[in-house]
Amino acid sequence: MPRKVILDVDPGRDDAVAIMLAALSPDIDLLGVSVTHGNRPLDVTVPNALRVVDWLQLDIPVYRGAADPLLSFIDHERRDPEWIYDLIETIEGSDLDLPAATSQPQEQHAVGWLIETLMASAGDIVLCPVGPMTNIALAIRMEPRIVGKIEEMIFMGGAIGPGNISPCAEFNVWKDPEAARIVLNAGIKKVTMVPLDATHSAHIKRDECQALIDLGTRGGEGAGKLAMRRIARGTELGSKLQAGPIHDALVICAVLDPSVLQQVHHTPLDVIVNPGGKDDGQTVVDLRPGDWAKATPTAQVALSADREKFVRMLTEILALA
Ligand code: BDR
Ligand code: CA
């Protein structure tokens, strides 16, 4: 039986590859894609998500969600600064290099759809947030009973080692730390965090991107070009690496085969909310040995990933269509 998945995204090139994998894998039943602000403003991330499903010629519903972090109305400069969009545009280019979307998002708001879908389910849905967790936090606040309906949440976010948007914070958590704090403290029975430590260890190389393009499928061509463009842009900006992470795609591979994640620790996990502080949006785990560190909430946290397996999974799934 394919696993039922809800993907909450902020595309974003790596989000786009995650959508492709979830949509194309026969072992995933992708119920829909909810979209949030994040890599770009919502007016860009929604059409970007539609570009991906149109490119695949699939009929996957896309829902428009939260345009701003929970507290941006009182703290706009810290929670939703303009410079972040300029920075990401510099790194990623102005669009996804996919043709403009012709389809439309669903009428229903993403948060209403998340609640309705989870409440109507048999408790067998895997929730995969790969952007800021604003939609998920709003849904939990509106209908706390959805928490018991989530079979598992596997999310891309956080960092144990260095952050990427501040010395110690990862972008998704940093962009809406209040939302992440609400979600991680809600009591979801099984939570797996896929932090930067894991996604960076599963980087993809230029020749592997070319191999995806050479598959000759829409999935392979689309994902290979998206990943290749990101590596090329990194080179233009001075990076010596001929490789790059596709963060969000690793979450989908973990849904399909948890063994793609390595050095997985069961640990307390929380988020620091400290507007203006250097540690704002930092994820805190407790990797000290011994069973005295028993604080809650807890999660499985992966410190690395099996790079070869990840690339193999990408190739197998994207070869399908
Ligand atoms: C995360 O932030 C976004 O830029 C990416 O899409 C990914 O979800 C990496 O920190
Ligand atoms: Ca993302």
Side-chain angles (χ1 to χ4, degrees), residues 124-136:
D124 55 353
I125 293 176
V126 184
L127 180 62
C128 297
V130 296
M133 290 200 200
T134 319
N135 287 337
I136 318 298

Side-chain angles (χ1 to χ4, degrees), residues 40-276:
R40 306 287 163 75
L42 192 71
D43 283 341
V44 180
T45 55
V46 172
N48 275 353
L50 292 166
R51 276 175 198 247
V52 180
V53 298
D54 285 1
W55 171 253
L56 295 177
Q57 300 173 319
L58 292 176
D59 194 14
I60 294 163
V62 170
Y63 296 84
R64 199 180 154 85
D68 298 292
L70 294 181
L71 291 191
S72 65
F73 69 103
I74 53 171
D75 198 7
H76 188 75
E77 266 314 296
R78 182 141 310 275
R79 291 283 178 258
D80 206 15
E82 292 303 322
W83 61 261
I84 197 68
Y85 298 122
D86 295 342
L87 176 73
I88 293 171
E89 182 149 340
T90 313
I91 295 167
E92 294 213 338
S94 55
D95 59 35
L96 291 183
D97 303 329
L98 293 174
T102 52
S103 65
Q104 296 294 321
Q106 303 294 307
E107 284 293 317
Q108 188 177 19
H109 192 277
V111 174
W113 173 73
L114 282 167
I115 294 170
E116 194 178 287
T117 308
L118 285 164
M119 289 308 291
S121 77
D124 55 353
I125 293 176
V126 184
L127 180 62
C128 297
V130 296
M133 290 200 200
T134 319
N135 287 337
I136 318 298
L138 288 168
I140 289 172
R141 280 290 184 258
M142 283 177 71
E143 178 47 276
R145 290 178 299 168
I146 64 169
V147 167
K149 289 286 199 171
I150 299 169
E151 179 182 287
E152 181 178 2
M153 180 174 86
I154 308 180
F155 75 99
M156 193 283 132
I160 314 308
N164 57 0
I165 192 69
S166 80
C168 55
E170 180 279 332
F171 176 79
N172 288 339
V173 176
W174 173 89
K175 193 141 194 285
D176 197 344
E178 286 84 0
R181 189 130 210 259
I182 289 169
V183 175
L184 293 177
N185 283 273
I188 298 170
K189 52 179 106 58
K190 186 169 180 201
V191 174
T192 300
M193 173 162 106
V194 181
L196 290 176
D197 314 69
T199 62
H200 280 293
S201 75
H203 56 267
I204 182 167
K205 300 175 183 170
R206 251 181 207 272
D207 59 329
E208 292 163 339
C209 295
Q210 188 58 50
L212 294 180
I213 296 168
D214 293 343
L215 290 170
T217 56
R218 290 182 87 82
E221 184 187 340
K225 283 185 175 166
L226 285 162
M228 182 79 97
R229 175 85 175 82
R230 208 163 187 237
I231 297 170
R233 196 76 190 106
T235 308
E236 281 166 34
L237 295 170
S239 167
K240 299 276 180 288
L241 298 173
Q242 294 294 322
I246 322 179
H247 309 281
D248 300 345
L250 185 58
V251 165
I252 302 304
C253 290
V255 172
L256 293 164
D257 181 354
S259 74
V260 75
L261 301 178
Q262 293 184 327
Q263 290 184 264
V264 179
H265 294 260
H266 196 243
T267 160
L269 168 65
D270 211 342
V271 174
I272 294 177
V273 174
N274 182 20

